[in-house]
Amino acid sequence: MSPAKQTNSEDYLRMYRQMVRIRTFEDNANQLYLSAKMPGLTHMYSGEEAVAVGICEALTVTDKITSTHRGHGHCVAKGADFKEMFCELLGKEEGYCRGKGGSMHIADQSNGNLGANAIVGGSMGIATGAAFTAKLLGTEDVTVCFFGDGATAQGLMYEVMNMAALWRLPVIYACENNGYSEYTRTDEIAAGSILARAEAFGIEAHQVDGQDVLAVNDLAQKLVARARTGDGPFFIELMTYRYHGHHVGDINRDYYRSRAEEKDWKENRDPIIRFRSWLVAEGIASDDALEAVNAEIRAEAADAVDYALNAKYPDVSEVDMHVFTDVRHALA
Amino acid sequence: MSPAKQTNSEDYLRMYRQMVRIRTFEDNANQLYLSAKMPGLTHMYSGEEAVAVGICEALTVTDKITSTHRGHGHCVAKGADFKEMFCELLGKEEGYCRGKGGSMHIADQSNGNLGANAIVGGSMGIATGAAFTAKLLGTEDVTVCFFGDGATAQGLMYEVMNMAALWRLPVIYACENNGYSEYTRTDEIAAGSILARAEAFGIEAHQVDGQDVLAVNDLAQKLVARARTGDGPFFIELMTYRYHGHHVGDINRDYYRSRAEEKDWKENRDPIIRFRSWLVAEGIASDDALEAVNAEIRAEAADAVDYALNAKYPDVSEVDMHVFTDVRHALA
Amino acid sequence: MREITLSQAVNEALAEEMRRDPTTFIIGEDVAEAGTPFKILSGLVEEFGTSRVVDTPIAEPGFMGLAVGAAMTGTRPIVDLMFGDFIFLIMDQLCNQAAKTHYMSGGKMSAPLVLRTNLGATRRSAAQHSQSLHALVAHIPGLKVALPSSAYEAKGLLKTAIRDDNPVVIFEDKLMYQDKAPVPEEEFLIPFGEANIKRDGTDVTLIGTSSMVQVCEKAADLLAAEGISAEVIDPRTIVPLDEATLLASARKTSRVIVVDEGHQSFGVTAEIASRINEKAFYHLDAPALRMGAMDVPVPFSPALEDITVPTPEGVADTARKLMSGEMIDAA
Amino acid sequence: MREITLSQAVNEALAEEMRRDPTTFIIGEDVAEAGTPFKILSGLVEEFGTSRVVDTPIAEPGFMGLAVGAAMTGTRPIVDLMFGDFIFLIMDQLCNQAAKTHYMSGGKMSAPLVLRTNLGATRRSAAQHSQSLHALVAHIPGLKVALPSSAYEAKGLLKTAIRDDNPVVIFEDKLMYQDKAPVPEEEFLIPFGEANIKRDGTDVTLIGTSSMVQVCEKAADLLAAEGISAEVIDPRTIVPLDEATLLASARKTSRVIVVDEGHQSFGVTAEIASRINEKAFYHLDAPALRMGAMDVPVPFSPALEDITVPTPEGVADTARKLMSGEMIDAA
Ligand SMILES: Cc1ncc(C[n+]2csc(CCOP(=O)(O)OP(=O)(O)O)c2C)c(N)n1
Ligand SMILES: Cc1ncc(C[n+]2csc(CCOP(=O)(O)OP(=O)(O)O)c2C)c(N)n1
Ligand SMILES: [Mg+2]
Ligand SMILES: [Mg+2]
């Protein structure tokens, strides 16, 4: 792990806290699924926490992100609250999207999260457009586009990278390479080199250990600062791993990846365990203090789940609201 | 110009003849447009003859090509006849597509030309699929996908290159870089390097002087042979130039390219002039003999134009034929 | 007769046709070892190998385009599009290329491919995984469109689709994959353009497509209890459309409701109702009515999602109004 | 009043709105110096610069997606899609993203963008450059759809579209770009959802969209010469649709023909005819009839192309049959 660089230990502790919040959120979401309390299904971010947190901690609240089907981690990392998130997952009125979006469309506009997306690669244009806005209006916001290794197969990525490069847009393409797209290994669906694909468009590209939150944050800080001053776009490939199945229902997965592999990542490369040991070793926090953080987050999550389970569904009259901005009920 | 390599001077003469046939075809097509005898408009291939001919002369009759909106050159080079081509351009029943396709959809299945395409980049999937067929059925056919520099902006290209590379399909992507897409210079719409984009997918890529038919043919021979034995896919960038406007109606084009530039390409790099001098210099043919070839082709074209002008339009009852293979009249 | 699930029916149809014709192959995401997320294709890669059951990268336009070219050159691709909503990604290759190849070439080329995908909401999958977009492709000349309503149709129509020399789009109802129906062991095909009269009736005709056939049948049950005799018809393919059967029923009952899970406006119900109104107008006691899905993106919340699609109760209700002459709107 | 071409009207609308709102920008292929192949945008890049009149690579899905993101974050993109046929390439970004953003976010986000494109055959441009695909987008909830029928509407509707907070698709008739019409010098807007009664009549209602408004007017001329009084109505927007005006006319004349240049089957005529049949049934002497483009890919040959779209003579003919009670089909 990299040596301490931030001058303020609060920054480190916030990163730790945010990673634990993501893991805790996901554990609860998984429980909701397993106990049949959640409608539909969902994709867990557990294991990839250092990616979202390392990057989002380098962003301001008005900087934008676009997210994916595996979007809870990005949402938490960009500043969202548990209550509105769980409400959304359960389709409740107080959810971030009034229950209309659910897990795959969770968004949090107040913190610059333009939303999860159920179309693989579907948000690449959106992220590039957000960066276009920043340039046109001179806002200095930077946009980070999160997507998986599988999404690199979508042609849209190359179309927008070309434009971002030609117009030097303040966007960072963050490829979360977790080794799989659904039930298929990345090397079976990606020819050549992912980094080289970005570089071919004249985009500076970096690979980083996605399980090392400090390394991720360090790189992100630098690239975000450069993008902000017109030195973008950039591409980052973050090597990471998802602990659960592709979605919560993907339980028997021996046919596409081994338990030994999963065990290795969980035991030897877990981003939270690694960072926690480092915090303790560097004397930034005691183990007890970190344990207290965990407990506090667990309690917060339990409360939020409870709240969401008891919250009310949107009234049926909402069904034709929000089709158009200027028509209260589209079908009235 | 490269030294003579073919053992058979017939091959050289056929290449010469095919280039002149393309130029002559286009001159006549342009005349038909200018004299308002042709419906719609069309995109001239003049100037780029060495590309189509150099490549198609490396192919067998069952090898496949896919073509573009600028497709007459590919069609002639792959073996088509003037008569059916002019009939098609004029919307006549005896056209290759019974007048239903016109210039932008001219095809010649009998010679493996799967057709021009009015969607820029639209045939990249088709070409890759033709190569897939060859692999699945073991036919050993090679497919060449022609497209322009502008088409490299289409995401589809990256999607199919990825699959072609993963599955080692016998396809050659032939990028005709004529410096412009419509009214825009290539460097304004293509970031980074076109060759590197193919290489990033692990595809061997070459750049070649598209005005040198021997260089093109030489490279094509080698790559086609390798693709045939499973060593593909390949990517070629052919540096070339279109003499006319983007389409026949694009007359005043000073605002996007200079007359001096056009003059330079026409006078100093013309593929036919260069090859003709070489043929004479190498003693393969006399200037008189070549002049006779030209005259013969001019006469053939004039006859074909004449024939086409007098040929009949498809009967109106054909309008709802060929919508489905198994329904004679779709609207009956 | 033995009963199998719609998923098994699809699997059997594919296996039978792939055995029959070595130029067929399946292409799509996670179709091989995984057998798709719906596990429909289990076992096929074991029998036919990875050269004929081809896992692709997540590149729908790419593999659809590849299928068009493959079809044009002598194979019969069966494209697996994981969700019907992704059809938006492949519209160019499907509608500008595949649909027009035969026509644009004056009949010289063709693209005999099948696009298998799905439709249907109420699976809590939200706006991008719940759409029923068959009306879009039905609007494009050159494409045939099949909508199986049970395991039986899923098998018979898919086999026909694979043998058809034209591009065919077949939409399975993803909520029906585990539903069982009697399916003969012996080989059978269901011809395109032949509607199926699921139930005879005299008072009102309920025309339902795909998932809505069951809804119409349940509505007919509700109505039967009240002494209203509903005829239920499943067109099975909307291109070609068996107008004759639909019109005969309309002329007989004088009252028609068309039920479809696509959005109502500019959708399938409009076309079918229009044809009936046009060609059976003087036989109708009331206008042919339409019930499509609400014209709203599909909401995630179960509280909202369930009310966006037609239900047996809703259809029965509309039928009752038709019967009682309560068509105030049209007056 | 001065007369200007449809092309100039579009140019003026864009210039005025871009002056008014600095967050607007135009994006598309060859929109800047070239001013598009149709030369519609001449002069705009000189006034607004290349940061607001943005030439793109040939990457329709890419720049459409970019526009969605830009719209979501505070700008108002005006996307120039060179040919309506290319809409197939951008359906995912338009229909899965832009159309659903507001709904999926529970009203918290929106995508105020305009997609300007075109429709219309008989330009000898063959099957991939001649389609009229507005029915497809009208089927998707969340998109508004405008179809200007002259320079006047082109200006007024486009200005309204740019100020609308929703994604709007506007289809111009590419054969009309050089057609002149009176257009006021003073600023004006045309509200969405308000049909325009082009001509009053009592015997038959001709509802025409876009290019077909002229066709209906010419048909009305032919009919007038025979003493048949045709009312001609231009809905101007099909989403929202001014049902009230259409129904009032249908109830008055009792006979309706809907004319549209999209393919007839599963198209716009079906929706409009269905609504009229549903809601004015008992006022009609005959079913509302439909005349769309033939259900064939657009052929290149002039000998074939011209017969694929409705003509004034054809419309007049249908009207005559309606008048004479000659609706054998419906009997
Ligand atoms: C356009 C599209 N195609 C396919 C899918 C189905 N799908 C959902 S997630 C996924 C795999 C994505 O892999 P990757 O991008 O690596 O992200 P990860 O799940 O690994 O985080 C697929 C194929 C989809 N949602 N959208
Ligand atoms: C998808 C699509 N977008 C835009 C166009 C309009 N268009 C026709 S040709 C052309 C330029 C193509 O440039 P290039 O690929 O370099 O080929 P060239 O014309 O130079 O041969 C454009 C933009 C089109 N036909 N299809
Ligand atoms: Mg992945
Ligand atoms: Mg070019």
Side-chain angles (χ1 to χ4, degrees), chain D residues 150-171:
Chain D
S150 85
Y152 175 75
E153 279 81 15
K155 181 163 181 187
L157 292 172
L158 179 52
K159 284 172 65 86
T160 302
I162 295 170
R163 297 189 197 182
D164 200 292
D165 285 334
N166 299 283
V168 179
V169 188
I170 184 159
F171 290 87

Side-chain angles (χ1 to χ4, degrees), chain B residues 48 69-70 147-151 176-182 184 186 242:
Chain B
E48 309 190 11
H69 57 286
R70 198 177 301 289
F147 56 94
D149 46 291
E176 305 178 308
N177 188 344
N178 60 11
Y180 296 86
S181 58
E182 273 193 6
T184 302
T186 308
R242 62 163 157 80

